[in-house]
Amino acid sequence: MTLTCSGLTVGYGGPDVVKDVNLHLSRGQVTALIGPNGCGKSTLLKTLGRQLTPSAGAVHLADQNISKYSSRAFAREVSFLPQHPVAPEGVLVRDVIGYGRYPYTGALATMRAGDHAAVERAASRAGVSELLDAPAADLSGGQRQRVFLAMTLAQETPITLLDEPTTYLDPAHQLSILDLIRDLNGTGVTVVMVVHDMVHAARYADRIVAMREGRIVAEGATEEVMTAELVRETFHVECLEMTDPSTGRRFPIPISVHAPEFSGTLEGRR
């Protein structure tokens, strides 16, 4: 099952945010969407996940326009985790994870034995089994993020889209979430995630798609694309290139801003 887009243009009623984008997502790999704030990463991901409708172009799943799928049929193939998922008050963790079974249970959410088993499996893989009967609203940020990832796991889709899955988490929880995503990919799931941390992108992604001003400016295998030059051109940041001893991959370490628009702000802080 492959997800592709051609000539994709998307906006919110004003200027286009994503402009004439063509993309073929590599099956069974982790792809990181990177780029500066406002470049269109999240908008592109939402469109791939059928959260937004393009003004031009199309997204195809297995050679069929995603608009032709029913909601449940699409949700059996593609799962989408937004930046800031919110659990309703009074809902237990078990119920939140159970939402991932909607494509199979329907609107009445009639859970069968297989659905309950899927929830238990997802909770175990996400490391939240001991929280199943806890109120979701009482969890810490790291716990909550794991619970929502468990919900995505319970959906059991071949393609998973994650919008900034490590936002607002401390370093330990960030790495824990990224390890979980990598484990998910190890089962054959295609993962596409928006990532702000360039080191995380370099270490955890198989492919990089770099965006700027609504367009893709570079894409390809991580070890080929993730260079200091790409970071300079995309983020206007100077970097050192280091080598990750555990993977052998290069990764950029930002050392200074290389953009006129920041110079006044930086001078003012001296």
Side-chain angles (χ1 to χ4, degrees):
M1 190 70 68
T2 57
L3 193 62
T4 63
C5 64
S6 57
L8 199 67
T9 298
V10 192
Y12 297 90
D16 293 329
V17 178
V18 170
K19 307 167 186 176
D20 194 27
V21 164
N22 300 305
L23 181 63
H24 180 98
L25 294 172
S26 299
R27 187 174 180 178
Q29 292 189 326
V30 176
T31 298
L33 301 180
I34 67 170
N37 290 339
C39 72
K41 305 183 299 296
S42 292
T43 299
L44 174 59
L45 195 76
K46 290 175 184 177
T47 309
L48 294 174
R50 219 168 77 158
Q51 307 295 306
L52 293 173
T53 301
S55 56
V59 180
H60 287 85
L61 176 65
D63 299 325
Q64 180 170 302
N65 193 308
I66 61 174
S67 66
K68 304 298 183 183
Y69 284 80
S70 69
S71 295
R72 289 178 63 190
F74 186 73
R76 286 193 288 267
E77 305 296 339
V78 179
S79 53
F80 175 82
L81 185 61
Q83 277 187 40
H84 308 295
V86 177
E89 289 289 335
V91 175
L92 300 180
V93 166
R94 183 185 304 278
D95 299 323
V96 173
I97 300 174
Y99 293 157
R101 299 304 296 168
Y102 160 76
Y104 312 98
T105 64
L108 297 178
T110 305
M111 299 274 284
R112 299 177 175 84
D115 299 306
H116 290 295
V119 169
E120 297 282 348
R121 284 196 304 272
S124 176
R125 289 176 64 190
V128 294
S129 294
E130 73 282 2
L131 301 174
L132 280 171
D133 295 313
D138 293 348
L139 303 181
S140 68
Q143 289 173 325
R144 192 177 300 116
Q145 197 72 344
R146 277 188 165 272
V147 166
F148 281 111
L149 274 173
M151 179 185 71
T152 303
L153 294 175
Q155 199 168 331
E156 296 183 332
T157 57
I159 300 172
T160 294
L161 311 178
L162 305 170
D163 195 356
E164 298 188 36
T166 60
T167 299
Y168 304 130
L169 300 182
D170 61 50
H173 282 106
Q174 288 181 17
L175 294 177
S176 178
I177 292 295
L178 289 165
D179 285 339
L180 176 58
I181 291 169
R182 195 71 215 180
D183 289 343
L184 171 63
N185 172 249
T187 65
V189 175
T190 300
V191 177
V192 186
M193 59 181 181
V194 172
V195 182
H196 272 297
D197 190 300
M198 290 169 282
V199 176
H200 290 166
R203 185 168 192 183
Y204 286 90
D206 300 303
R207 294 184 66 79
I208 298 293
V209 174
M211 297 185 67
R212 187 163 186 86
E213 298 179 351
R215 302 182 187 278
I216 293 176
V217 295
E219 63 176 304
T222 301
E223 55 269 27
E224 298 173 1
V225 172
M226 186 59 85
T227 64
E229 181 180 1
L230 173 72
V231 173
R232 184 186 307 112
E233 293 177 355
T234 303
F235 294 92
H236 296 315
V237 171
E238 295 289 349
C239 289
L240 295 175
E241 283 191 4
M242 308 291 287
T243 300
D244 186 338
S246 63
T247 64
R249 289 180 178 177
R250 295 173 300 175
F251 63 90
I253 302 294
I255 56 173
S256 64
V257 177
H258 181 68
E261 60 264 34
F262 290 103
S263 60
T265 303
L266 293 175
E267 288 292 335
R269 291 179 180 175
R270 290 177 182 169

